[in-house]
């Protein structure tokens, strides 16, 4: 039997920004991955690695410099007119800062119903009922529809952002650091809400975060990015048990382990130096200036991103 078509396929996706005086910032430089229906794909990397730009290019807030984004087998960046409008219904985004992304002068009800109004889905009583249903689905209640964003806590505002994204029944949600701005105590609640909604509505997620601890409990598979490129992709279980790329190993070693005995004896990999500027990336392997395992060939040849175990991809000369 042939494999079902993934919901989303990213092929050699590039987003370069031309900054003048001949300078080019290669924020996203050749990403390849696919996301199956109902799956959560975690995309992780330090700030400036290009993960948010990747999300914004996939949903077409930015036009791609090169490559393709196939959604249900169709190239998103080639869509125009009615087809483009239809695509916008199926893919929605939840942003990092729920306060900045909610219009302070609009009531929560009108914020949530914005997509419903744009796509002309419901009016009058039906619209009101839909807003109430969405508020309840994200753990708020219908009275909240008449209030304004400043009357809510950070966690509640993120729930409003999620309700807004769900309003037009998308199949796919890109969550761009949705829990990074929240208190640690609230982060787990919002992750649990994402999981509950996925189960109830059969949603597919691209979940972007800056550390591996944040995506651990939600991702089926994880991609690790460094300087605009993927350096490792595999299942969440395999990544935490057998990280291959030295960068992934260093990210994992930074996560504290709840067992004090293990925590006391284990070795931390402290990366030297800052992430290099994507305006002037190192030759060969982009990670070589910070890699504890770097060899002479790492400066000369860019490692190929390849499958080194079934379903486990990495870009490193050690494999
Ligand atoms: Fe380190 Fe070389 Fe592997 Fe790059 S290719 S991660 S520098 S060992």
């Amino acid at each position: 039997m042939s494999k079902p078509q993934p919901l989303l396929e990213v092929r050699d996706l590039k987003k370069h920004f031309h900054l003048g005086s001949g300078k080019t910032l290669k924020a996203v430089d050749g990403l390849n991955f696919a996301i199956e229906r109902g799956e959560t794909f975690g995309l992780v990397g330090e700030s400036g690695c290009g993960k948010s730009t990747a999300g914004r290019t996939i949903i077409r807030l930015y036009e791609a410099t090169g490559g393709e984004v196939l959604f249900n087998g169709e190239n998103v960046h080639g869509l125009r007119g009615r087809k483009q409008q239809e695509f916008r219904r199926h893919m929605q985004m939840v942003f990092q800062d729920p306060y900045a992304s909610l219009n302070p002068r609009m009531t929560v009800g009108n914020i949530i119903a914005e997509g419903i109004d744009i796509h002309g889905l419901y009016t009058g009583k039906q619209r009101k009922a839909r807003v109430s249903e969405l508020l309840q689905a994200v753990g708020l209640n219908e009275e909240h529809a008449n209030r304004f964003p400043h009357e809510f806590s950070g966690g509640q505002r993120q729930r409003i952002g999620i309700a807004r994204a769900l309003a037009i029944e998308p199949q796919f949600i890109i969550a761009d650091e949705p829990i990074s701005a929240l208190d640690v105590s609230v982060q787990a609640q919002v992750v649990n809400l994402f999981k509950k909604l996925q189960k109830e509505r059969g949603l597919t997620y691209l979940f972007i975060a800056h550390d591996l601890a944040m995506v651990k409990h939600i991702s089926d598979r994880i991609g690790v990015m460094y300087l605009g490129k993927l350096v490792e992709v595999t299942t969440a279980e395999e990544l935490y048990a057998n990280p291959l790329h030295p960068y992934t190993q260093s990210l994992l070693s930074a996560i504290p382990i709840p067992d004090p005995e293990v925590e006391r004896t284990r070795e931390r990999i402290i990366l030297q130096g800052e992430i290099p500027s994507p305006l002037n990336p190192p030759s060969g392997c982009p990670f070589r200036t910070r890699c504890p395992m770097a060899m002479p060939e790492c400066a000369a040849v860019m490692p190929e991103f390849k499958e080194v175990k079934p379903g486990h991809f990495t870009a490193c000369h050690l494999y």
Side-chain angles (χ1 to χ4, degrees):
M1 218 167 67
S2 64
K3 237 181 132 201
Q5 186 185 55
L7 182 63
L8 184 93
E9 240 185 298
V10 173
R11 292 186 184 163
D12 199 24
L13 186 69
K14 293 185 180 147
K15 178 62 195 171
H16 298 173
F17 296 97
H18 300 291
L19 305 179
S21 353
K23 284 193 181 142
T24 303
L25 191 148
K26 295 181 177 174
V28 173
D29 201 25
L31 297 191
N32 287 288
F33 62 93
I35 308 182
E36 309 294 333
R37 279 159 222 276
E39 190 183 31
T40 298
F41 188 93
L43 191 60
V44 176
E46 287 166 288
S47 90
C49 73
K51 57 193 188 301
S52 290
T53 306
R56 282 160 195 250
T57 311
I58 289 168
I59 203 169
R60 226 180 142 181
L61 285 175
Y62 298 145
E63 289 298 320
T65 309
E68 286 183 326
V69 175
L70 303 180
F71 186 72
N72 276 324
E74 214 166 354
N75 186 11
V76 163
H77 287 262
L79 300 177
R80 302 274 174 268
R82 198 175 56 80
K83 283 249 178 196
Q84 185 178 352
Q85 176 97 342
E86 225 169 81
F87 157 72
R88 287 194 201 284
R89 265 199 72 179
H90 298 312
M91 197 186 284
Q92 287 290 300
M93 192 142 182
V94 173
F95 294 92
Q96 175 180 4
D97 182 347
Y99 199 55
S101 67
L102 305 177
N103 186 335
R105 281 180 293 277
M106 280 168 75
T107 62
V108 164
N110 283 334
I111 289 172
I112 292 174
E114 242 187 326
I116 295 175
D117 299 340
I118 290 170
H119 293 274
L121 301 181
Y122 305 107
T123 52
K125 274 195 190 139
Q126 277 184 317
R127 178 184 184 273
K128 200 169 167 227
R130 178 82 182 130
V131 169
S132 297
E133 186 258 312
L134 288 161
L135 281 166
Q136 281 163 28
V138 299
L140 298 171
N141 61 58
E142 57 184 304
E143 286 85 61
H144 289 140
N146 299 321
R147 303 220 201 135
F148 290 88
H150 73 266
E151 298 176 60
F152 294 86
S153 67
Q156 286 175 319
R157 285 199 288 259
Q158 196 52 290
R159 288 173 189 268
I160 297 166
I162 295 168
R164 175 177 59 180
L166 290 176
I168 51 176
E169 293 172 26
Q171 297 171 29
F172 184 76
I173 290 183
I174 298 181
D176 185 9
E177 301 228 33
I179 57 169
S180 307
L182 305 178
D183 288 348
V184 176
S185 57
V186 182
Q187 288 181 345
Q189 294 169 14
V190 174
V191 165
N192 288 339
L193 174 62
F194 271 104
K195 280 170 125 175
K196 171 181 104 79
L197 294 168
Q198 179 170 47
K199 218 167 154 197
E200 288 169 0
R201 292 161 197 253
L203 293 162
T204 305
Y205 295 143
L206 174 63
F207 198 96
I208 301 172
H210 63 256
D211 80 41
L212 278 166
M214 286 187 184
V215 291
K216 185 170 182 180
H217 299 294
I218 191 161
S219 305
D220 298 300
R221 283 186 309 130
I222 294 176
V224 179
M225 271 185 85
Y226 189 79
L227 275 189
K229 294 182 188 298
L230 277 168
V231 297
E232 187 157 2
V233 172
T234 188
T235 60
E237 209 178 312
E238 166 76 359
L239 193 87
Y240 289 92
N242 294 309
L244 295 180
H245 197 281
Y247 179 56
T248 314
Q249 290 168 356
S250 74
L251 290 180
L252 280 173
S253 89
I255 302 176
I257 291 177
D259 181 336
E261 198 53 43
V262 180
E263 182 62 20
R264 208 171 28 244
T265 51
R266 91 196 168 107
E267 253 185 75
R268 282 246 148 74
I269 306 167
I270 311 284
L271 288 183
Q272 302 300 320
E274 292 294 310
I275 188 166
S277 163
L279 273 173
N280 190 18
S283 63
C285 172
F287 187 53
R288 71 169 170 85
T289 51
R290 299 168 82 197
C291 180
M293 320 285 280
M295 313 167 275
E297 70 167 311
C298 303
V301 184
M302 170 97 72
E304 195 191 326
F305 186 68
K306 57 177 192 256
E307 192 169 16
V308 294
K309 286 161 88 178
H312 196 154
F313 298 78
T314 195
C316 175
H317 291 309
L318 293 171
Y319 305 98

